[in-house]
Amino acid sequence: MRMVADQIVARGIRDDKVIAAMMSVPRHLFVDSALSSRAYHDCALPIGCGQTISQPYMVARMTELLELQGSERVLEIGTGCGYQTAVLSRICRRVYSIERIEALHNRARQNLRAARHANVMLKCGDGLLGWDEYAPYDAIIVTAGGFASDVWMQQLKPGGVLLLPEGAAGNHRLVRRRKLARGWNEEYFDDCTFVPLLEGVHHH
Ligand code: SAH
């Protein structure tokens, strides 16, 4: 509750559905038990394999920018530990989430089961290829930083939005592109830093 008051509401997040979802997902279930005392701190934390769970504010901000109403099917690129997935799943119909590192994909599955999220489908694969089987999506959210793959726009419904931290390593900016009947429009938001969007799948 304090995390939501101090980091989310105090910084201007106003969407009631986002606030309720941030209140209801137990973030400590998504970080390693050795770090659980810091689970609600105002920062990203390591989740193994060189990756991170995003800062709470950034999860809320990205979720808010999707402007979800409840009936949407959302594709997430970069499941990580599954925290953003869990938040999304509370406010849309179904979340499809892809992770390229098999160990994290497996851990996210356990975490989401522990938090009882039924409307989530996970896949270990290269998110740069999208997930054609369930396309088109109402929204696509990318939680690793880099440059957009052309297939994402193809896998969106007209009127749907693609949200990603765009730019070269260490220098990202949130961009939201709305697919129109022809082409798209785009709006830029917060500067941010994400782990890199990488090609291919990592098994071990
Ligand atoms: N959504 C997470 C953030 C995880 S960090 C959260 O809730 O905190 C970003 C994740 O994107 C990492 O786990 C990384 O392995 C993954 N990733 C990077 N490039 C990817 C790609 N091409 N396809 C799928 N996942 C990718």
Side-chain angles (χ1 to χ4, degrees):
M1 304 268 258
R2 194 140 42 84
M3 175 192 88
V4 171
D6 296 352
Q7 303 174 36
I8 309 300
V9 176
R11 293 194 192 135
I13 303 293
R14 290 287 172 266
D15 185 325
D16 290 337
K17 290 188 289 301
V18 175
I19 293 168
M22 296 295 295
M23 292 268 208
S24 73
V25 178
R27 186 168 160 96
H28 63 274
L29 295 185
F30 294 84
V31 305
D32 195 86
S33 54
L35 295 174
S36 62
S37 67
R38 286 154 64 192
Y40 296 87
H41 288 194
D42 187 14
C43 56
L45 291 170
I47 55 171
C49 309
Q51 308 304 314
T52 55
I53 178 173
S54 300
Q55 179 194 23
Y57 172 76
M58 194 48 66
V59 172
R61 177 69 171 143
M62 291 182 79
T63 308
E64 175 179 68
L65 289 172
L66 296 178
E67 297 176 345
L68 299 171
Q69 301 304 316
S71 62
E72 296 86 353
R73 294 164 57 257
V74 178
L75 175 65
E76 179 190 27
I77 312 298
T79 319
C81 61
Y83 178 68
Q84 172 81 72
T85 321
V87 171
L88 290 168
S89 79
R90 299 268 161 122
I91 43 184
C92 70
R93 181 143 60 93
R94 213 177 231 323
V95 187
Y96 303 83
S97 185
I98 310 175
E99 171 56 53
R100 65 180 289 279
I101 299 177
E102 193 174 24
L104 290 177
H105 160 77
N106 290 332
R107 195 161 329 140
R109 192 180 289 294
Q110 291 171 5
N111 291 344
L112 288 161
R113 197 175 288 147
R116 301 184 182 284
H117 290 276
N119 57 340
V120 170
M121 290 195 65
L122 301 179
K123 162 172 159 163
C124 183
D126 182 353
L128 289 166
L129 306 175
W131 195 344
D132 206 25
E133 205 177 341
Y134 300 103
Y137 302 96
D138 299 288
I140 301 180
I141 175 173
V142 185
T143 66
F147 293 95
S149 164
D150 291 340
V151 304
W152 294 338
M153 208 40 95
Q154 291 161 20
Q155 292 183 6
L156 266 187
K157 286 184 191 166
V161 294
L162 167 65
L163 178 70
L164 75 145
E166 189 176 64
N171 187 21
H172 304 129
R173 191 159 179 206
L174 290 182
V175 58
R176 181 172 67 187
R177 297 208 172 94
R178 191 175 299 277
K179 182 172 179 170
L180 306 175
R182 279 191 178 181
W184 63 80
N185 67 30
E186 63 187 7
E187 292 165 277
Y188 284 87
F189 300 95
D190 314 42
D191 289 319
C192 49
T193 304
F194 278 74
V195 296
L197 184 65
L198 299 173
E199 263 178 55
V201 180
H202 182 87
H203 295 286
H204 66 216

